[in-house]
Amino acid sequence: MGTYRRHKCALFVSSSALAALIATSAAAQTAQEQPAPAQEGDGQQATEIIVTGFRASLNSALNQKRSETAAIDSIVAEDIGKFPDSNLAESMQRIPGVALSRGDGGEGRNISVRGLGAQFTRVRINGMEGVSQVSGSDIRGGVATGRSFDFVTFPTEIFSSLSVRKTTSADVEEGSLGATVDLRAPKPFDQKKDFVFSATARGIYNDIRKDADPRLSALVSKKFGDSFGILGSIAYSKRHIDEYAYSAVDVVPTTVYGLAQPAGTANAGVIFPFCTPAGYIYKGAPVNSPVPGYTQPSGAAIGADANNCSTNNPRTGNQATYDYIMQRTGVNGKPGGGVYLPRLPRPVKSSQNQERLAGSLTFQWKPDDNTDISLDGLYSRFKVKRIDTMFDARSFGRAISNNGQPLTSVREIEVDGNGSLIHGLFDGVDLRSEMQDERFTSEYKQANFNFDHRFSDNFRLFGLAGVNQAQLDVNRLQVAIDSNDTRNWSIDFRDNPNIPKIGYGIDTTNAALFQYGPPLANGDQRGQLSNFIRRNTITSKTFELNADWKVTPGFTIQAGGQYRTNKYTARERQLATNTPLALPAGASIADFSFVTSGIGKNLGGQLQDFVSIDPDKFRRVTGLDNYVYCSIECAKGTYGGVYEKYSSGYVMAKFDTENILPFKLRGDAGVRYVRTSLDTYGPITTAAPAGSLYPSRFVISNVNRSYEDWLPSMNLALDITPSLIARFSAARVMSRPSYGQLIPAGSANLVIQTASFSNPFLDPIRANTLDAGLEWYFRPGSLLSVAYFHKNIETYIQTTSTSLAFQDIGLPLSLLNGTQLRPTDQFTVQRSNNTPGGPLSGVEVNVQLPFTFLPGFLRNFGALGNFTRVRSNIRYIISPTLSRTAPLVGLSPETASGTLYYEDSKFSIRSTVNYRSSFLTAVPSGSVDADSTANARSIFVDASASYNLTDHIKLIAEVQNITNETNRLTVDTVRKDPLYTAYFGRTYALAVNFVF
């Protein structure tokens, strides 16, 4: 909290200083003691000042913004092959209204614009819509199945500019509710010289991993005469990342995994969350839970009697502690329902090796000033090998069917007034060491042909034809080993509210204390095994033709048509059995284990190192490569796809009244029509026919449908004075559902008793938007602007949950074969549905100010700053009878960014502070009796510096996350229980850049 207050104070002071400097600037301009360089066209004598580097990049972007009729912000490369930041998403943080979501290692992964998340933001690469996919841990979204763009897959070095279009026009293809981001690779005729060569070599170091990694890039451009040119670029990097975290996985009331007293006994139907103490009395009647002689559905006894929860697991709880729990009923009204515990409290270490290779190749032909033809190719490959190791207290996420929480005794416990755990001491706790080994490759390929020809001064024809493909290959192996019924397990949040101190009662590094093999008949688990191999492919084709006809000076008609196809396919195979097999004769856990280290050092001494599984040794010892995989025939994995066809056309009028009316009004107005046709197919689980090797199989369901949209839009820019511009925009927009939501599918997870169903009949999210802004270009290279935006979101897509007995879900009962589950056991069933939306509105303020009005070296300083405030109200469906109004998921009510820089002919340095307030990540949370999950507020501070040794050689130094900020997730708006807290450290880089 103290760190947050210091950063908030610093942001306030910086904002105040910027306001004072603007006032000083205006006063200096009025006094005219030193005439400033004039803007082009302001009627004054201009003093030429040549700027380069970061300041030149800012000026170029500002000039682009000023000339546009729509609300567009741009970032331009500082130099050939040198973008202002090491990550495209991190660069966009400086744009007003843009907030960054960070992924593994703290690197920028995707963005939200004006409160609308990555799924509402479209990205075009060289004019074509692109989708970049990655995989991640489940808490970070798992395997991508949507339309969002992960910027981590592309290096900045292969692009020369990016633009964020916040308002749309009829000529921009549909699909964005928040913004359209255009990434542009450089072309030969962008370069001033006939031959250009640029190369950068960078070394990167992280203070947690403590490895030095390379990052290399090069660009070559050659023009052959005045009509033909070739440009190629390439970028390669390797990165090693270690991340340490505490994870609760979920936080649930104790009743979720408790055991109800059987009929015919005292307190029948009452759920008792833990093993009751010997001689326990509840409401005047003796209670034993589990009851003596309890058997699993298979008939196997667990060894429960009056003094033991199960065999060799005595009842060690006490009456006072148990009563403390049962007296708290919580929002569900059930005894014990007001005590919330982390479902799988655990330390996590994530280690990954990344390799990124990307390049572009462009052939450009300009036979005359009226013709520009180019062929652009682009390639990117992002390859990751990640191993996550975790050490769970598994009992708090296990029901009686797995001999979990009902067999655990509670000796001490304390919760706060909201029911959040403060500390506890337990016996009979099952421990699990879990390993997830994931290897994925994200590959993107694109080729497009662009042409632009002006037949006369009044008529122009331009268009493109292209194809791109994004492919994600994932191989994920999960293995676990168990140590059951351990004593003296403790958890304590009193020293640190985000990371508890956990004591395990055993030597957590001793492999001999753990088991791996098939579960026992009584329900005792002895490890876990799962493996899936998945490929997602998105292939897009675009054909576009546009005509531009200048009817009269200041009035132009533009019209065009576009035909696009997107084909998404998902194929996944899994192990035919997830039941661990017995180890080969003579093999032991010690043969494939190692110790995960660094836990205590990097998590404040709160948690301990532990034994873990080595994935390569495990494969070798168990012969995993010989195991059987299946998909359709065993109802595992997935087999589905979406084929979309978009046919669209538009007409738009563009106008400029400068030579017609006494005021200058620029703008465009038009309408776009689009027809969307889609064919979807996906897997539905059914009972297998007689004689099948497996109890269930997939049948493939097909759905065909189409819909139409008319999307009018208008953008106006009024030049009130040469330095003051007023803007107004209005449009109707739409954003399509993710591919994963459209594939018709239904499945169940028997381990955590959930089921999920998609919905191929989902409609798009549609909205009406309104934007108004005022921009004051009060000095050369300077801007002070304010903008208001409003979006009336008419429809929304939510995943709604309900609780049903498995027999009522609609899946075959044969899925329960071989488990301890009964058809009457309750499952949480989730479905995607269209629901009412709600309003979203906000204000953004932006300032850009070079200090050229100051004397001496101070004129080389400058500052940027922006602040955005957004509010929204969405009605979320919590249950069939309950709803809640809350902000849009992914929306931070406040975001801010501030940059202070210094730059002269030799030396440049800058530091940027980015603030993002807390935002919801899920509503409802998916947790029982929790309204939402949220990402906590964050402040990231980065800095970079460069020095020109010569006209051709530059040294560069960079540091990211100077304050060692964490990524922190919480669950429930009131309780704010810690769900995930991760440390990924500071990252340093040294580089040398050559330009010839």
Side-chain angles (χ1 to χ4, degrees):
M1 180 62 74
T3 301
Y4 166 70
R5 284 174 176 165
R6 288 195 299 273
H7 287 316
K8 189 173 182 180
C9 181
L11 282 170
F12 177 76
V13 171
S14 299
S15 300
S16 300
L18 284 173
L21 286 166
I22 291 170
T24 303
S25 169
Q29 195 171 22
T30 302
Q32 293 186 350
E33 294 176 358
Q34 293 182 345
Q39 293 282 7
E40 181 181 351
D42 66 4
Q44 300 178 18
Q45 182 68 30
T47 302
E48 183 180 6
I49 294 180
I50 299 175
V51 292
T52 59
F54 183 65
R55 182 172 293 183
S57 170
L58 296 177
N59 288 349
S60 178
L62 204 62
N63 290 335
Q64 290 183 24
K65 177 181 180 65
R66 189 173 184 178
S67 64
E68 293 283 353
T69 56
I72 299 176
D73 290 284
S74 302
I75 295 177
V76 181
E78 296 181 31
D79 207 339
I80 301 168
K82 174 65 176 76
F83 221 71
D85 299 276
S86 59
N87 180 282
L88 291 167
E90 291 165 2
S91 286
M92 283 185 277
Q93 289 181 108
R94 291 198 302 273
I95 292 177
V98 175
L100 176 66
S101 295
R102 295 176 183 264
D104 298 329
E107 189 170 1
R109 180 172 173 181
N110 45 50
I111 63 168
S112 69
V113 182
R114 291 179 166 178
L116 292 161
Q119 70 271 30
F120 303 120
T121 300
R122 291 179 55 257
V123 175
R124 299 191 300 187
I125 302 176
N126 290 338
M128 278 192 64
E129 181 178 8
V131 175
S132 169
Q133 306 177 91
V134 300
S135 181
S137 56
D138 290 339
I139 206 157
R140 286 190 171 138
V143 180
T145 60
R147 302 175 190 267
S148 60
F149 191 92
D150 286 286
F151 291 91
V152 70
T153 61
F154 283 92
T156 62
E157 292 90 341
I158 65 171
F159 296 105
S160 59
S161 67
L162 68 83
S163 298
V164 179
R165 177 185 292 268
K166 300 175 186 175
T167 65
T168 191
S169 53
D171 61 326
V172 177
E173 56 265 50
E174 73 296 331
S176 165
L177 210 67
T180 297
V181 177
D182 279 299
L183 304 179
R184 186 176 183 275
K187 294 189 175 185
F189 283 89
D190 295 340
Q191 318 305 318
K192 296 180 180 179
K193 299 179 181 179
D194 288 342
F195 176 79
V196 173
F197 172 78
S198 173
T200 302
R202 181 181 274 104
I204 301 173
Y205 176 85
N206 180 270
D207 63 2
I208 287 184
R209 182 63 183 249
K210 294 180 170 40
D211 277 340
D213 296 318
R215 180 168 176 166
L216 309 170
S217 64
L219 178 149
V220 179
S221 176
K222 172 63 177 175
K223 286 186 281 189
F224 299 89
D226 297 328
S227 62
F228 184 71
I230 301 175
L231 185 146
S233 68
I234 189 169
Y236 173 81
S237 65
K238 294 185 72 173
R239 190 179 180 195
H240 298 82
I241 296 172
D242 276 353
E243 185 173 310
Y244 292 87
Y246 161 74
S247 175
V249 178
D250 197 358
V251 179
V252 296
T254 61
T255 51
V256 170
Y257 294 104
L259 178 63
Q261 278 290 93
T265 62
N267 297 298
V270 176
I271 296 175
F272 289 88
F274 297 100
C275 178
T276 53
Y280 181 61
I281 304 296
Y282 183 71
K283 292 187 175 180
V287 173
N288 277 305
S289 181
V291 297
Y294 179 90
T295 61
Q296 296 285 17
S298 63
I302 64 172
D305 57 35
N307 295 307
N308 294 277
C309 309
S310 59
T311 302
N312 298 322
N313 180 23
R315 300 177 186 264
T316 61
N318 59 79
Q319 175 93 29
T321 301
Y322 214 101
D323 285 345
Y324 179 88
I325 295 171
M326 299 298 286
Q327 290 167 3
R328 286 164 171 78
T329 56
V331 298
N332 57 33
K334 299 176 182 177
V339 173
Y340 297 87
L341 300 182
R343 187 167 74 87
L344 298 176
R346 62 192 189 184
V348 179
K349 181 180 180 181
S350 179
S351 298
Q352 65 176 270
N353 300 332
Q354 297 179 352
E355 186 178 47
R356 185 166 51 196
L357 174 67
S360 69
L361 181 63
T362 296
F363 300 91
Q364 188 174 13
W365 182 45
K366 296 187 69 173
D368 53 54
D369 292 339
N370 295 320
T371 306
D372 189 346
I373 297 174
S374 64
L375 180 63
D376 301 310
L378 188 139
Y379 174 82
S380 176
R381 187 192 69 198
F382 184 58
K383 192 174 183 179
V384 174
K385 179 180 179 181
R386 189 184 75 242
I387 177 171
D388 297 337
T389 53
M390 299 146 280
F391 198 77
D392 314 340
R394 200 72 178 182
S395 285
F396 304 102
R398 283 178 172 171
I400 188 65
S401 58
N402 290 323
N403 284 354
Q405 184 178 289
L407 305 188
T408 298
S409 294
V410 54
R411 290 162 50 192
E412 297 177 14
I413 195 168
E414 181 184 2
V415 298
D416 65 16
N418 295 319
S420 298
L421 181 65
I422 296 176
H423 70 91
L425 178 63
F426 304 84
D427 287 335
V429 176
D430 298 342
L431 303 180
R432 167 169 283 186
S433 177
E434 190 174 352
M435 179 277 300
Q436 178 174 291
D437 174 54
E438 182 169 80
R439 306 171 189 198
F440 75 82
T441 301
S442 176
E443 191 174 52
Y444 183 89
K445 296 176 283 188
Q446 177 172 312
N448 55 296
F449 173 78
N450 305 270
F451 69 94
D452 188 335
H453 180 68
R454 185 171 295 279
F455 291 88
S456 69
D457 291 341
N458 298 325
F459 186 72
R460 171 180 168 232
L461 204 63
F462 58 99
L464 66 85
V467 59
N468 60 41
Q469 184 180 84
Q471 184 168 289
L472 175 64
D473 288 293
V474 183
N475 188 327
R476 180 185 289 182
L477 169 68
Q478 291 177 287
V479 184
I481 53 177
D482 285 350
S483 181
N484 295 325
D485 297 333
T486 62
R487 299 173 61 83
N488 296 310
W489 185 88
S490 63
I491 182 168
D492 194 339
F493 285 95
R494 286 175 291 190
D495 291 340
N496 188 326
N498 298 315
I499 303 178
K501 181 175 291 184
I502 298 181
Y504 297 95
I506 65 169
D507 179 1
T508 57
T509 64
N510 186 355
L513 301 179
F514 291 80
Q515 301 178 70
Y516 178 83
L520 301 179
N522 68 355
D524 274 350
Q525 299 294 300
R526 298 192 299 160
Q528 176 186 353
L529 172 65
S530 67
N531 191 193
F532 70 75
I533 301 170
R534 183 180 181 114
R535 169 171 287 183
N536 291 351
T537 305
I538 303 174
T539 303
S540 301
K541 299 177 182 179
T542 301
F543 304 91
E544 178 183 309
L545 182 63
N546 307 275
D548 190 289
W549 175 40
K550 182 184 291 186
V551 180
T552 63
F555 185 78
T556 300
I557 295 294
Q558 183 175 316
Q562 188 183 73
Y563 179 75
R564 289 183 292 146
T565 64
N566 282 353
K567 183 179 181 182
Y568 171 85
T569 59
R571 301 288 186 269
E572 181 183 301
R573 296 180 296 121
Q574 295 185 4
L575 285 173
T577 176
N578 289 335
T579 302
L581 303 182
L583 292 174
S588 70
I589 291 176
D591 295 330
F592 55 80
S593 63
F594 71 101
V595 173
T596 292
S597 60
I599 299 295
K601 177 181 177 182
N602 289 283
L603 292 177
Q606 300 289 94
L607 301 167
Q608 304 174 22
D609 296 346
F610 52 87
V611 65
S612 299
I613 298 96
D614 182 300
D616 294 327
K617 291 180 180 179
F618 177 83
R619 288 184 173 94
R620 185 171 62 252
V621 170
T622 61
L624 184 65
D625 292 341
N626 297 320
Y627 282 33
V628 176
Y629 291 77
C630 59
S631 177
I632 295 178
E633 67 275 23
C634 66
K636 290 191 175 184
T638 192
Y639 186 98
V642 179
Y643 182 55
E644 295 176 316
K645 292 176 283 187
Y646 317 125
S647 302
S648 62
Y650 74 92
V651 61
M652 179 176 71
K654 299 187 292 184
F655 50 88
D656 186 336
T657 68
E658 181 177 19
N659 299 318
I660 304 172
L661 299 175
F663 54 88
K664 184 176 182 180
L665 178 66
R666 298 173 287 127
D668 61 72
V671 62
R672 186 178 191 89
Y673 165 81
V674 59
R675 185 177 190 274
T676 303
S677 301
L678 63 157
D679 302 328
T680 66
Y681 62 94
I684 303 295
T685 305
T686 63
S692 173
L693 295 175
Y694 308 102
S696 306
R697 71 184 304 274
F698 283 148
V699 294
I700 304 303
S701 173
N702 293 272
V703 176
N704 303 320
R705 62 182 298 236
S706 63
Y707 51 86
E708 299 176 335
D709 284 276
W710 289 91
L711 305 171
S713 60
M714 177 178 65
N715 295 282
L716 301 175
L718 175 63
D719 294 339
I720 300 173
T721 72
S723 60
L724 187 64
I725 300 175
R727 297 185 186 274
F728 177 83
S729 300
R732 181 169 177 80
V733 295
M734 57 90 86
S735 178
R736 297 181 176 92
S738 70
Y739 295 115
Q741 292 173 317
L742 290 172
I743 291 178
S747 62
N749 186 322
L750 304 182
V751 177
I752 58 176
Q753 294 179 214
T754 63
S756 61
F757 293 85
S758 57
N759 186 353
F761 294 98
L762 288 172
D763 286 328
I765 298 175
R766 297 182 173 100
N768 296 318
T769 69
L770 182 72
D771 294 77
L774 194 62
E775 300 167 1
W776 181 30
Y777 299 84
F778 55 92
R779 290 183 57 85
S782 303
L783 170 66
L784 177 62
S785 68
V786 61
Y788 168 81
F789 51 90
H790 176 81
K791 299 179 189 292
N792 180 29
I793 302 173
E794 296 178 353
T795 58
Y796 193 59
I797 296 173
Q798 296 182 39
T799 299
T800 56
S801 299
T802 188
S803 183
L804 292 173
F806 185 85
Q807 62 191 12
D808 298 325
I809 290 175
L811 297 176
L813 296 180
S814 59
L815 288 177
L816 303 184
N817 294 347
T819 75
Q820 302 291 352
L821 294 169
R822 297 178 172 89
T824 55
D825 285 345
Q826 294 292 303
F827 273 61
T828 300
V829 182
Q830 298 182 326
R831 300 179 189 270
S832 297
N833 294 293
N834 282 111
T835 58
L840 179 150
S841 59
V843 176
E844 62 185 31
V845 180
N846 184 29
V847 61
Q848 181 170 314
L849 179 63
F851 299 166
T852 52
F853 54 87
L854 294 177
F857 76 95
L858 295 176
R859 67 187 288 107
N860 297 320
F861 281 95
L864 316 172
N866 66 73
F867 173 80
T868 303
R869 178 184 173 91
V870 190
R871 294 292 184 268
S872 68
N873 289 298
I874 302 295
R875 187 167 70 89
Y876 292 96
I877 309 301
I878 306 299
S879 70
T881 60
L882 181 65
S883 64
R884 176 196 172 206
T885 299
L888 187 69
V889 168
L891 182 150
S892 289
E894 287 87 26
T895 58
S897 175
T899 299
L900 181 66
Y901 67 89
Y902 173 91
E903 186 170 67
D904 58 29
S905 61
K906 286 284 189 180
F907 180 67
S908 175
I909 187 170
R910 65 180 178 270
S911 179
T912 300
V913 180
N914 290 289
Y915 168 75
R916 183 175 188 182
S917 63
S918 175
F919 59 94
L920 300 177
T921 57
V923 181
S925 65
S927 304
V928 177
D929 295 344
D931 59 4
S932 60
T933 57
N935 199 302
R937 60 181 172 239
S938 62
I939 298 178
F940 284 87
V941 183
D942 305 322
S944 64
S946 64
Y947 181 76
N948 296 324
L949 285 177
T950 71
D951 291 340
H952 303 290
I953 302 175
K954 178 189 294 185
L955 300 180
I956 303 168
E958 300 166 336
V959 57
Q960 295 176 318
N961 194 21
I962 294 174
T963 58
N964 198 26
E965 181 65 285
T966 62
N967 186 29
R968 189 162 59 89
L969 306 178
T970 61
V971 61
D972 195 73
T973 302
V974 175
R975 300 196 315 267
K976 296 184 179 179
D977 289 324
L979 185 64
Y980 185 77
T981 302
Y983 290 84
F984 38 79
R986 304 171 181 86
T987 300
Y988 306 88
L990 291 175
V992 57
N993 171 253
F994 303 90
V995 178
F996 297 97

